């Protein structure tokens, strides 16, 4: 850990309060199964009958996945075929984190929720540039997912994460190494998040109020 100044030291001290591992939370994090250049023959620009949503980082928008994104460079779906089904996960609530962030992005960790109430599909594919949090292959509860998304998107976590991660990649191993608030704390935090995620300032104030 490289502590560069007072704000880094404060972040490190605050993060020391958290002791829960993902195992304690009953949560795992995995890398998206769809490697698009290997599955190119099955990937399509627009969803049609017989396809499954395919989620890329470009579908992140304001704390939630917004799908489809038509007219963009990235495709939106993958064929539901016996050769592709091992790439899918059940349509449920997940927390997604970008594996690669641009240097100009404000945060190194960028998280959002996949909410099946907003995207009606029995299965979904997550592209390999994403990590996804799940409960041993199943979806998360709404409150836990909202709380986890809020925590990961906080300035506190971003400042702390930059102390031991000097590049723009956020791998599943990095997310496993973090310590988290207890499950009840994350669920309580999630209960404070409505249909729209707070702005960065509001989110940081919420973290401060609920966790410290």
């Amino acid at each position: 850990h490289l502590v560069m100044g007072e704000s880094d030291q404060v972040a490190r001290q605050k993060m020391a309060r958290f002791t829960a591992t993902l195992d304690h939370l009953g949560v795992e994090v995995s890398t998206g199964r769809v490697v698009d250049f290997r599955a190119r023959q099955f990937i399509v620009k627009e969803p049609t009958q017989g396809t499954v949503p395919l989620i890329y980082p470009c579908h992140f928008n304001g704390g939630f996945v917004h799908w489809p994104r038509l007219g963009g460079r990235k495709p939106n779906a993958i064929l539901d075929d016996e050769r592709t089904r091992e790439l899918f996960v059940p349509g449920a609530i997940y927390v997604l984190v970008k594996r690669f962030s641009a240097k100009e992005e404000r945060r190194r960790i960028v998280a959002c929720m996949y909410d099946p109430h907003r995207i009606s599909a029995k299965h979904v594919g997550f592209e390999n540039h994403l990590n996804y949090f799940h409960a041993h292959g199943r979806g998360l509860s709404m409150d836990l997912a909202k709380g986890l998304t809020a925590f990961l998107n906080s300035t506190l976590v971003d400042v702390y994460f930059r102390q031991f991660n000097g590049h723009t990649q956020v791998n599943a191993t990095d997310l496993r190494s973090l310590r988290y608030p207890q499950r009840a704390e994350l669920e309580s935090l999630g209960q404070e998040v409505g249909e729209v995620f707070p702005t960065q300032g509001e989110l940081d104030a919420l973290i401060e109020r609920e966790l410290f």
Side-chain angles (χ1 to χ4, degrees):
H1 286 248
L2 186 61
V3 178
M4 299 294 292
E6 184 177 349
S7 62
D8 285 8
Q9 186 62 41
V10 169
R12 188 173 183 183
Q13 290 170 350
K14 286 188 171 183
M15 286 293 292
R17 175 191 179 282
F18 306 127
T19 58
T21 64
L22 290 181
D23 281 344
H24 291 141
L25 298 176
V27 173
E28 296 179 41
V29 61
S30 302
T31 302
R33 301 176 184 177
V34 181
V35 180
D36 58 3
F37 70 87
R38 293 179 183 164
R40 187 175 292 122
Q41 62 179 314
F42 303 107
I43 292 175
V44 294
K45 270 285 192 182
E46 298 184 10
T48 59
Q49 187 173 4
T51 64
V52 167
L54 177 57
I55 308 303
Y56 282 84
C58 67
H59 292 111
F60 284 32
N61 190 331
F64 291 97
V65 168
H66 286 242
W67 179 93
R69 184 177 178 179
L70 303 179
R73 292 189 300 109
K74 293 296 185 182
N76 288 281
I78 181 169
L79 295 177
D80 185 358
D81 183 278
E82 62 182 11
R83 292 167 291 179
T84 60
R85 284 178 190 142
E86 66 179 11
L87 304 177
F88 306 154
V89 296
I93 299 171
Y94 301 97
V95 174
L96 311 180
V97 173
K98 294 182 182 182
R99 284 186 59 212
F100 301 91
S101 58
K103 290 182 179 180
E104 60 271 15
E105 284 194 270
R106 289 182 304 159
R107 293 195 311 273
R108 186 66 51 81
I109 296 180
V110 181
C112 84
M113 282 180 58
Y114 178 87
D115 182 356
H117 301 99
R118 296 169 183 248
I119 303 169
S120 180
K122 290 184 178 180
H123 297 92
V124 59
F126 297 133
E127 199 269 334
N128 192 247
H129 285 73
L130 297 174
N131 297 303
Y132 65 101
F133 289 83
H134 54 96
H136 307 298
R138 303 184 307 277
L140 307 174
S141 71
M142 180 65 75
D143 288 341
L144 178 60
K146 284 185 174 181
L148 183 57
T149 302
F151 178 71
L152 289 169
N153 279 334
S154 68
T155 300
L156 170 64
V157 170
D158 183 70
V159 171
Y160 178 77
F161 187 78
R162 289 172 186 267
Q163 293 178 25
F164 67 88
N165 181 298
H167 49 76
T168 57
Q169 292 187 36
V170 180
N171 295 313
T173 303
D174 299 320
L175 297 171
R176 292 186 195 106
S177 73
L178 282 176
R179 292 297 176 264
Y180 296 82
Q182 298 299 316
R183 186 184 181 100
E185 293 178 307
L186 288 172
E187 290 173 339
S188 178
L189 179 63
Q191 290 170 8
E192 298 298 315
V193 177
E195 293 300 307
V196 178
F197 265 82
T199 64
Q200 189 67 57
E202 293 168 342
L203 189 150
D204 290 337
L206 178 64
I207 294 288
E208 191 69 26
R209 184 173 71 247
E210 291 294 318
L211 297 180
F212 298 100

